[in-house]
Amino acid sequence: MDIRKLEDLLRKVKSGKTSLDEAISQLKSLPFEDLGFTRIDHHRSLRKGFPEVIWGEGKTTTQIISIMKQLKGKGQNILITRLEERKAEAIKRVFPKSRYAPRSKVLIYLTHSVKFEGKGTILVITAGTTDIPVAEEAAITAQIMGNRVETLFDVGVAGIHRLLNERQRLEAARVLIVVAGMEGALPSVVGGLVDRPVIAVPTSVGYGTSFGGITALLAMLNSCASGVAVVNIDNGFGAGYIASLINRM
Amino acid sequence: MDIRKLEDLLRKVKSGKTSLDEAISQLKSLPFEDLGFTRIDHHRSLRKGFPEVIWGEGKTTTQIISIMKQLKGKGQNILITRLEERKAEAIKRVFPKSRYAPRSKVLIYLTHSVKFEGKGTILVITAGTTDIPVAEEAAITAQIMGNRVETLFDVGVAGIHRLLNERQRLEAARVLIVVAGMEGALPSVVGGLVDRPVIAVPTSVGYGTSFGGITALLAMLNSCASGVAVVNIDNGFGAGYIASLINRM
Amino acid sequence: MDIRKLEDLLRKVKSGKTSLDEAISQLKSLPFEDLGFTRIDHHRSLRKGFPEVIWGEGKTTTQIISIMKQLKGKGQNILITRLEERKAEAIKRVFPKSRYAPRSKVLIYLTHSVKFEGKGTILVITAGTTDIPVAEEAAITAQIMGNRVETLFDVGVAGIHRLLNERQRLEAARVLIVVAGMEGALPSVVGGLVDRPVIAVPTSVGYGTSFGGITALLAMLNSCASGVAVVNIDNGFGAGYIASLINRM
Amino acid sequence: MDIRKLEDLLRKVKSGKTSLDEAISQLKSLPFEDLGFTRIDHHRSLRKGFPEVIWGEGKTTTQIISIMKQLKGKGQNILITRLEERKAEAIKRVFPKSRYAPRSKVLIYLTHSVKFEGKGTILVITAGTTDIPVAEEAAITAQIMGNRVETLFDVGVAGIHRLLNERQRLEAARVLIVVAGMEGALPSVVGGLVDRPVIAVPTSVGYGTSFGGITALLAMLNSCASGVAVVNIDNGFGAGYIASLINRM
Amino acid sequence: MDIRKLEDLLRKVKSGKTSLDEAISQLKSLPFEDLGFTRIDHHRSLRKGFPEVIWGEGKTTTQIISIMKQLKGKGQNILITRLEERKAEAIKRVFPKSRYAPRSKVLIYLTHSVKFEGKGTILVITAGTTDIPVAEEAAITAQIMGNRVETLFDVGVAGIHRLLNERQRLEAARVLIVVAGMEGALPSVVGGLVDRPVIAVPTSVGYGTSFGGITALLAMLNSCASGVAVVNIDNGFGAGYIASLINRM
Amino acid sequence: MDIRKLEDLLRKVKSGKTSLDEAISQLKSLPFEDLGFTRIDHHRSLRKGFPEVIWGEGKTTTQIISIMKQLKGKGQNILITRLEERKAEAIKRVFPKSRYAPRSKVLIYLTHSVKFEGKGTILVITAGTTDIPVAEEAAITAQIMGNRVETLFDVGVAGIHRLLNERQRLEAARVLIVVAGMEGALPSVVGGLVDRPVIAVPTSVGYGTSFGGITALLAMLNSCASGVAVVNIDNGFGAGYIASLINRM
Amino acid sequence: MDIRKLEDLLRKVKSGKTSLDEAISQLKSLPFEDLGFTRIDHHRSLRKGFPEVIWGEGKTTTQIISIMKQLKGKGQNILITRLEERKAEAIKRVFPKSRYAPRSKVLIYLTHSVKFEGKGTILVITAGTTDIPVAEEAAITAQIMGNRVETLFDVGVAGIHRLLNERQRLEAARVLIVVAGMEGALPSVVGGLVDRPVIAVPTSVGYGTSFGGITALLAMLNSCASGVAVVNIDNGFGAGYIASLINRM
Amino acid sequence: MDIRKLEDLLRKVKSGKTSLDEAISQLKSLPFEDLGFTRIDHHRSLRKGFPEVIWGEGKTTTQIISIMKQLKGKGQNILITRLEERKAEAIKRVFPKSRYAPRSKVLIYLTHSVKFEGKGTILVITAGTTDIPVAEEAAITAQIMGNRVETLFDVGVAGIHRLLNERQRLEAARVLIVVAGMEGALPSVVGGLVDRPVIAVPTSVGYGTSFGGITALLAMLNSCASGVAVVNIDNGFGAGYIASLINRM
C-alpha cells in the first residue's frame, strides 16, 4: 500500500470530499478483476510497461482467448508460454496478428509496439543445439520486454575453442543468459570470462543420470565462477524476465 | 584473448620491436603465479577493482597467511569466507587491521579504501533470525565490492504485515537479496512487490524435511513470482557478488 | 470391539437366550461382505453418517457399478474420486441421478439428501488456477459430508494484495483448506493470518524442480506458520475429509 | 488489517479527533518491536490467548533471556522448544519458576495460570518408547495452550492387541496426535478406529532406510485411513499447536 | 562344480576309461546351450524340479515361442511373467494348452503335472484390491512350484477388524506373502500376529508421495515386527519363489 | 484373539463358573504390563520360546536394567542389540553372567539354556571384513533362538574363487544370510549357487555413492537371482530372526 | 592452440609473407562452420581419424541429412546414435549405403573403409539379453573406430558358471566393456577375473527399485574390484569410445 | 581355473604320479590363507606385480600390522589407503621404512623397488586446491604401480586460461586423471582437448547442493565430451589403479 496515496485519501476523508464508505471501498478496490477462473493483475503490467504473461499449459483454448480479449481491451501486449501448436493455431484464427514460435512454443500478440528500455544487449548462449527451444523462450521474453537480444548457439565446453572464438561478443553483452543441459558446465566457463551477471538456465536435455535437468541445475548452483544465479529447469521465460529487469538498470 | 592486444603484438613482431621468442612468451605468460598449493588470478581483480576472495574452509592458517601476504604485496583488498574463529584470531595477530565478523565467519582486510561503484542500495532481507549469518556474508561481500547495503531481518511470511510495513524500503532498493530457510517462501512475496531483480539465497536453517536447505532451494526455484534467480544453499557470498555486478550497471 | 455389546452378548449367553455357536458367530460376523474383489465396510459409514467412498482409478466400470448397486441397496450416499470421464458416462447411464464434475473427476450419487453437520464454513483456497481441480475435489468431498463450502481461487503469494483483500473471508472460515503447487508458500501466509486450522494440499502443478508436487509438499511441511497440517500431493479428498471431521466439532 | 478498526480510525480522522499524522502513524505502528535480533509479534498471542513460542535452537542463552524478560513484561506465558539442558539451567537461574522437561527439551514459564479452552481431551499416542520425547513436546504444547492431555505410549502395530485394548480411550478423545518412527504405520490403524481428526507426527527414530524419519513421514502421507494430516518430522510442537486450535472449536 | 562328479571323472581318467581331451571337454561343457539371444540353464530346473521362468517384458513373441519350444522339448514346465495380453494370444495359438492370467500378466505352460512339494499352505494377503495383480503373480508362481496357495484380499490396516477376523487363517499358514502399496503397513501388523516368515511385497499402487511403491518398500524394510523380509516393488514372482523354497523345508 | 479360548470362556459364563465381570476382565487382560516407559509382551516369547529382545540404543542403563530384572523374574532369555560398550559394562556389574560381543554390540543374558529348535545349519556369509559386525549380530541372534550357526567371512565377488572354493559349505546350509556393503552383489551370486532361501543384509560399509548402504540395498532388491529377500540396512538381528523362523520349519 | 603453428605464423608475419590481417584472420578461423543449427568440428575427427558422431534424438530427419551431406563432402565416416527406425528409413533413401541396426538404433555411413587401429580385441559382455541393445551400441562404436570387437551375452552373476566357462575369452581381451542392469554386479566379478581395464555400462533394464538404471550405476561405482570405471546409464556409445581410445595405446 | 594346469594335473593323475585325493585337494587349494579376520589373495598381486592394497578405514592398528607382517614375508609391496595419522605413526614404529602422506592419508611400504611398467606419463589434474588430497591418493597409487606421474593443480574452469596455458602438458600425457568437486566440469573441458582416456574423479568438496560430491559425479557422468569414464566419489585409489592398467598397454 502506497503511503502517499493513503495520506491523500485521509486528507479527503477529513475534508469531507470523500465519504467514509467510499474511502473504505477505495482502500479495498485494488485494480484486478475476476474472470471466474483467473485473476489478472493489470496493476503490475501498467506499472512496469511489461507484457501480460499467460502460462499456456493446462489452459483450454477458450480460456486463453477469453483472457486475451480482456487484455487486448486494456491495450496490453501479451506473451503466452508453453502453448501447444494446436492451440496456437486456434488462437491465430481469432487473433491473426499473433506470432507463434513452434520450437519454443511461445506466442506473442502485440497491441502496441515494444519500447526499447534495455540499456545494452542480452546475449543468450546454449551449450548444444537441443537447448535452443529453451533459449528461444528466453530470447523472445527479453525482446517483448524491450531488449536487444543476440544469440550464440552450440558452444559447449567439450569444444572450448568454439566459445573462446566468440569472446568479443561475450564481453560486449550487458547481461548473459547461459542455457545448458547434460553436465551444465557452460555457465562456469562463461562466468569466468565476463564481468557481467550470468543467468544460468538448466535444460532437461540428456538421458540417464541427467535426471531431466537436475544434474545441470546442481552443477550450475555449484558453479566455481562467481556472478552466476540460476532459474528453474527449462525456465527460459524466467531467465529472460530477470535479465530484462537487470538490463533496464 | 584480446584481439587488439594481439594486433598490437603482431605489429611489433613485424616491425622487429618484439622478438619471436618474446612474442610467444608474452602470449603465454598470463598474469598468475604458482604458490605451490594455489593459483591466484590477479588478472580478474585488477580488471574489476574487486577484492581477492579466499575460501577459508579446508585451508590451514599458514596457507591463508601466505596467500594474504602475497595479495597485500599486490595492493589487493581481501575477503575471506567460511573462516573459523580460531583461524581468524591467528590471522589477526599477523594482520592486525583485519576485521572479523564471527556470526558470518567472514574476515576482510583492506589495503586501500573501498570505492563506491554501486549505483543504488542493495537490500538484504531475511525470513528469520537464524538466517542472519548467511545474510551478513552477503552484506559484507556487497560492501567490500563497493555498495551501499541495508538490511531488513526477521520479516518471514507467517507474519506478512511485518514485511508489508517495510514496503517503502523494499521499493527504494535497486537490488534485493532475500535469505530464507524452512519453506523458502519469502522471495516469492518480495518478488511480487518490487520491479527489481531478486537474488534468493536458501539457508540450511530448519529440521526434518528442510533437508539442510533443499526445501528452501526448491521453493525458490519454483517461485511463482518472476524476477527471482537463485544461488546455492548458504551462499551469501555468491548472492552479494552477483548483486554487486548488477548494482554497478 | 464394543465393550457394552460384548457385555450384552455375554448376558444373553448366560441366560441361554443366545446359544454358544450363535454368540461366537455374532462375535465373528462384523458387518462387511465380500464382493469378490473388494470389501465394503458399511460399519464405518453407518456409524458416521458419511458417504461411502470409491477410489475410481484402476477399477473397471463394471466393478464400480456393481459396488454402487450394493451401496444403493443399503441407502448409502456415494462419492467416487479419480474417475475418468469415459467411465463416468457409462455410470450415468445406469445411475442417471449421478452428478459428475469433469475438472476434478469426482462423481457423486445421493440416495438421500445430505444433512448439514458442519458448524461453520470450510474455505477452500488455491494459489493458482491450475490448482482448481484438486480444490474442487476437496470442496465436493466436504459438501457431501455435510458442510457449507466457500472457495477463493488464484490468490497466490506473488500478488499478496489479492489475498489480503479477502481477509474478512479468511477470518470468517472455521476450517481452511489451502491448495498450492509450485513453491507451496500460500499455507504459510494464510496460517499467519488466521487462528483456525489450515489443511495444506500440495498439488503436482509445476515443471522442472517442482517434482510433481514434492517441492510444494516439502515447503508446506516446513511452514514457518503454526497451525498447518499437510496431506498427500493432489489429495483433495483427504483434505476435504479431515476438514469435515474438524468442522463437526 | 482489520476493517472495523480502519472504519473507526477514519471516523476519528473525519471528526478531527485524530490528526492526519497520528492516523498514518497508527496505521503503520503494528504491535511488534525490534529487539535487534528478533521481532516479537504480541499481536498474535494477545489475540489468541496463546503463549509466546521461542525456538531455542541456535539462540544463545543471553538472547533467550532478553526475549523472555520482554515477554514477561507484557504478561505473556512462554514456551521454549529445542532448548539444550545447559541453557535451561542458566535460564532457571534468572527465571526460577521455569519448568524444564529434559526428555523433550521444552521449557515453560508461566506469568499467569493457563485457562482451559479446549473442549475435550487430546490423546497423544506413540508407537514406541523412543518416540516419547517428540510426544512430550506435543503434550506440553497442548497443555500450555489450554487443553486436557492424555498419553498412551508404546502401542505400535506389531503388537496390535496393545492398541485394541485401549479402544475406549481412543474413542473418548476429541483430537488424537499419533507419533511414530520406523514404518510410521500407527496413524493408519488409529485413523481407522476413530471418527476424530488424527494429527500424525513422524519421528526420526530408526536406522538405515528410516532415513531420519522420511520413511515414517511418507507412510503417514500415504495413509489408507481418511482423517489423517501430517506435520514435519519430530515436530511435536506443531502437532500440539494445531490439535489445540481444533480442540477449541 | 560337483566334487563327486569330479572324483568320478578323475577315476575314469586314471583308469583310462576317459581320455584326457574328453575329460577336459566334459569339465568345460556345462549343461546350457546358446539360443543366440539367451542362454537357458536347464541345470538349475533339472536339479530343483522347478519350472523354467521367462521374463516376458522386452522379448518379442517370436523369441518367446522359440525359447518355449526348446524348453518343451526338454520336458520343462514354463512360467512367463510380465507378458502383455497381445503376446499371450499369439503364444496360445502355438501352445493352445497355455493358461494366461490377464490381471497378473502371467502365462503358464505345463508339460507335466505339478508335483506338490510344499509342506503347508502359502497364504497371499493384500491390503487393497488394486494390489491383487501382484498377489496373483505370487500365487501362480507358488502354485506352479508345487504349493497349496490361499488368498486373503483387501484387509488393509485402516479397517483392522477385517484382518483380525481372519486370524485363524493367518495362523494356519506356513509362509505368508503380504502385498501392499500406499503406506505398506500390513506386513508389520501381520508379522506381529504370526510366528511364521512373512515375505513382504511393496506395490506401485498409490499416487503422489507413494513414489511408485518406494514408500511401501521403505515402510516394509523398517517394519517394527520381526520376521519380515522384503522383495522388490511389484515382484510377486520373487515372493512366490522364495516362499516356495521355504515351504519345501 | 483365540477362538477356542473364547469358546471355553463362553462355556464357563453359560455354566456360571465364570462371572460376567470376570469374563469381561479376562477378555481384556492380555498378558503385558506397564513399566511406565515400555510395554513388554511376554505373550509372544512365552508362545514361541523366543528370547525377549531389547533395542539398546536410546535407552539408559537404568531403564535397561529395570526391564532385565523384570524379564529375569519371568524366566526369559534376553537379547540386547545396539548396546554401547559403556552401558554393557554397567549391566555386567548387575548381571555378571551376561555375555557381551563388542564388535556387534550385542549382549545376551540366559536364564535357561537355549534349546536347539533349528533343523539345519544357518550359514552367515560376508563380502568383506568390515561387514563382520552386522554378520555377528545375525549369528548371535540365530544362536540364542536355537540354531546351529556357521560363518564364512570375506568372500566378496571380486575374488569369486574364494566363494566357489566353499561351495560344499554353501550347499550344506539350510538357510543362508548374506551380508554385504558397497555394491551388494554377493547375494546374487550365492542365490545362483544354492536352492535354499537367502536372506540378504545390506551394510552401511563403503563411502561416496555407497550412501550408507542404500546402494547395497538397492542391488539386493534387484537381484537377478531368485530366492533372495532383503532386510533393512545393518539389520543383522532381523536377518537372524527370520532365518530362525525358517530353520524351525 | 598449437604453439608450433603459432611460431610458424609469427615467422611469416615477421618476414612479411603473411599480412597482419591475414594472420589475425587465420588465428581466428578455427575449422568449423555454422550450419545454422549445429556446429560441426572437423578439426577433431581429422586429427583423430575418428568418425563424426551425430546424436539422433531430437533432431529432425531434414537436419540430420543436411549434416550428413556436409560431412560426406569432407570425406568423413558417420555414426548416428539414438536414431528412430522411422528416421533411419528416410535417411537410407538419401544415403542408400547406410547401415542401420534397429536393436541399438545406430546408423553408420562409411565414406571410406575403417582402418584397424586397435591393438587387441575389445570384448563386450552383457548380464542379460535385455542389455544387448546398449551392448550393440558400444560394439558398433568400437568397430567404426577401428577395433576388433567380440561379444559375450547373457552371462549374469546368478549363473556364475556361465561366465567362468568363458574365462579364456575374458583373459584374451585387451579392454572389456561390461553392460548390466538390475543389480549391476557383473563388472565386479569380471574386474576380479582380469588384469585389464573394465568399462562398466549400467542399463535402464529392470523395474521397481532399479530406478531406470540408477541401482546398476551405483553398484558399479561401488565395485569392490579395482580396475573398473563407469559411464552414464545406457551410454553404450561412450563406453565404445573410451575403450577405443584405450585399445589404440 | 587355468586349463593348462588342469591338463597337467590330469596327466599326472593318469600316470599315477598324483593320487586322486591329492588331485582333488590341489584343485581345491587356491593360494590364499585365512588370517581369521581377512583373506589375502597373493594370487592376484603375484600375477600382476602389483602391490597389495589395504583399506585402512575400520581396521585396528593391530590388524593392519598383522596383515603387513604377513605380506612383507611374501615380499610384497604394500599400499594402505584411508589411514588416520594416529595409526600411521604406530605402524611406522614397527615398519620404520614406511612413508606416510598425511594429506591423502596414504601409507606405502616397499619390500622391493618399484619397476616402471607404465609406457607414458599419467597426468593428475585438479580443479581446486581442496581437491588435492584425492589427487595425491591417485598419484601415489599410480607411482607404486610403476608409472611416471605428473600433477597440475588448481586449473578449474572458472579461469579457463589457466588450463589452456598448460595444453602442451595435457597433450603429452598418455592417461589423464581429472579430479574435481563442486560442479565437476573440468573433465568435460579436458576431454575436449585431448585424444587420450580421461578418468574423472568427483570429490566431496563443496557445500549445500554439492551433496558431498554427488553433483560433481553426475556432471561427470553426463560429460558432453567423449572419452571420459568415472570412478566413485573421492576414489583417488580407483582412478590411479585403472589409469595404471591402461598405461601398461
Side-chain angles (χ1 to χ4, degrees), chain A residues 3 12 25 39-40 48 58 83 93 170 216 247:
Chain A
I3 287 291
K12 285 181 185 155
S25 155
R39 287 159 189 258
I40 304 169
K48 293 190 181 172
L83 186 74
R93 266 173 252 128
L170 296 182
N247 195 32

Side-chain angles (χ1 to χ4, degrees), chain D residues 43-69:
Chain D
H43 197 65
R44 183 159 206 185
S45 51
L46 289 172
R47 199 171 52 193
K48 293 189 183 173
F50 284 175
E52 276 298 330
V53 183
I54 302 170
W55 176 261
E57 207 168 75
K59 292 204 180 65
T60 66
T61 310
T62 315
Q63 287 175 328
I64 295 171
I65 289 173
S66 155
I67 302 174
M68 288 180 75
K69 280 185 177 159

Side-chain angles (χ1 to χ4, degrees), chain C residues 130-143:
Chain C
T130 34
D131 301 315
I132 292 176
V134 175
E136 195 181 82
E137 185 183 287
I140 294 175
T141 300
Q143 279 161 344

Side-chain angles (χ1 to χ4, degrees), chain B residues 141-220:
Chain B
T141 299
Q143 279 161 345
I144 200 176
M145 285 178 74
N147 297 280
R148 262 179 310 277
V149 176
E150 292 193 12
T151 61
L152 178 55
F153 291 162
D154 196 26
V155 292
V157 300
I160 199 74
H161 55 292
R162 294 183 299 186
L163 181 71
L164 298 177
N165 269 18
E166 308 280 357
R167 268 195 78 164
Q168 280 182 308
R169 290 182 70 199
L170 296 182
E171 284 169 4
R174 204 156 176 266
V175 188
L176 298 99
I177 294 171
V178 183
V179 183
M182 301 179 79
E183 83 270 64
L186 192 55
S188 292
V189 178
V190 170
L193 295 172
V194 299
D195 296 343
R196 297 298 192 173
V198 171
I199 306 302
V201 192
T203 69
S204 52
V205 167
Y207 65 97
T209 56
S210 80
F211 296 135
I214 296 174
T215 294
L217 168 67
L218 292 176
M220 291 168 177

